[in-house]
Amino acid sequence: MTVFGDLIGQDRAIDVMRRAASAAAEVVAGGRGAGMTHAWLFTGPALRTAAATAFAASLLCPDQGCGHCDACHQVEVGSHPDVTFVRPEGLSYSVRQTRDLVLKAAGAPTLGRWRIVLFEDADRVTEAAANALLKAIEEPPLRTVWLLCAPSPDDMIITIRSRCRVVTLGTPSTEAVANVLVTRDGVPHDVALDAARAAQGDIGRARRLALDEETRRRRDEVLSIPRSLTGVAECITAAERLVKTSTEDADAATTALNEAETAELRKVYGEGSSGKGLNKGLVRGGAGAIKELETMQKSRATRIKRDSLDLALLELVAFYRDVLAVQFGAPVELANEDRRHEVEAVARASTPEQTVRRTDAIMQCRERLAANVNPQIAVEAMTLALRSPA
């Protein structure tokens, strides 16, 4: 199987990447390589990083993405010396980090083909960082390729977007995602179908829903909210529960990692070293670095908390989308087919206008959270709006 094998339902994008990989091979051989460009933007609801990773492997593979050679394997596991994976862990990616990355990207490839920068969540760059990134994309070194990933083209500033070749990825069909879960993970077909519908084309999310009981439990908690908002007290309680769950997610994901990072940095600056005065001096000299690490860790925890909360809000959006589909009798697949009776109950108890207002309230909550409004206040306003019949 080639490196593009996991990109189910993406035939058009795969064709574009195959042609570009062939053009890149021509460039390496001294040809013109028409069709190859040095800046790419991968967008779509899912598979963005997977597609960019596969493309990176095809550029570095002698056979343009065979899936079996050392180059393909190294790119897949993230160890290829010519591929830099950038994963912004905090709320944003700063201008200083971007400038450091630009300097690193300017170096020659180690193995003589391409130096590739794969930038996940490129939409998280600050305005100043985007300007620094723009200059690197405008005037890249001859053998440097930038692969940017963002949910949609509009998430990147137009000056960057206009200088990139955009690859738009579609949403895989439910049956295609379910088939992956059945054949590769041994998931029963009915369970795989429910997970695939709920994940709406995101294979990683579908796999977690199918295999992880905790993920399913948290989804059930979120989807129980619409029927539970019978009064103001219930709205406040639901909001507290959502925010608390996202905080617990962030704590679980960061506690052990934070401790390991801090211990490693202290070790680098001499903590535990022998010699009179050596330990104190080096640790004191590294105080600034440790403080900077703690700031990054706090930002990362906030991002994980926000992402967890945003995922819950998107689950609610999908629920009310299903409600609206039932209200209009639309012949579409429900993301929450496994909870059809609840969807139909809410549809009967409300009007399409109310459903649209509730969906708008959820989207407004997402906008407020992105603008750093206090999560508890933003979510409480949303749950009260979901209860309101007006």
Side-chain angles (χ1 to χ4, degrees), residues 246-273:
S246 65
T247 302
E248 291 173 348
D249 285 346
D251 291 343
T254 60
T255 299
L257 182 58
N258 289 353
E259 292 174 354
E261 289 173 341
T262 302
E264 180 63 26
L265 188 60
R266 288 183 177 278
K267 183 178 179 181
V268 168
Y269 278 92
E271 186 171 77
S273 302

Side-chain angles (χ1 to χ4, degrees), residues 269-281:
Y269 278 92
E271 186 171 77
S273 302
S274 60
K276 186 176 180 180
L278 180 62
N279 185 31
K280 283 187 177 180

Side-chain angles (χ1 to χ4, degrees), residues 8 173-185 189 192-193 196:
I8 58 175
S173 69
T174 295
E175 192 60 46
V177 174
N179 184 60
V180 171
L181 299 180
V182 171
T183 57
R184 301 185 189 177
D185 300 293
H189 189 261
L193 276 177

Side-chain angles (χ1 to χ4, degrees), residues 323-386:
V323 170
L324 195 63
V326 170
Q327 288 173 329
F328 281 114
V332 296
E333 181 180 68
L334 300 186
N336 298 282
E337 181 64 41
D338 56 327
R339 306 178 76 95
R340 176 176 278 272
H341 65 287
E342 296 179 29
V343 171
E344 291 178 340
V346 173
R348 288 192 298 270
S350 59
T351 65
E353 291 79 10
Q354 290 170 344
T355 303
V356 170
R357 291 193 188 102
R358 287 166 174 163
T359 302
D360 288 343
I362 300 171
M363 299 306 293
Q364 185 177 52
C365 180
R366 296 184 69 209
E367 293 174 0
R368 288 171 174 169
L369 291 172
N372 292 320
V373 173
N374 181 284
Q376 186 66 38
I377 294 175
V379 177
E380 283 179 5
M382 179 197 74
T383 54
L384 289 168
L386 295 184

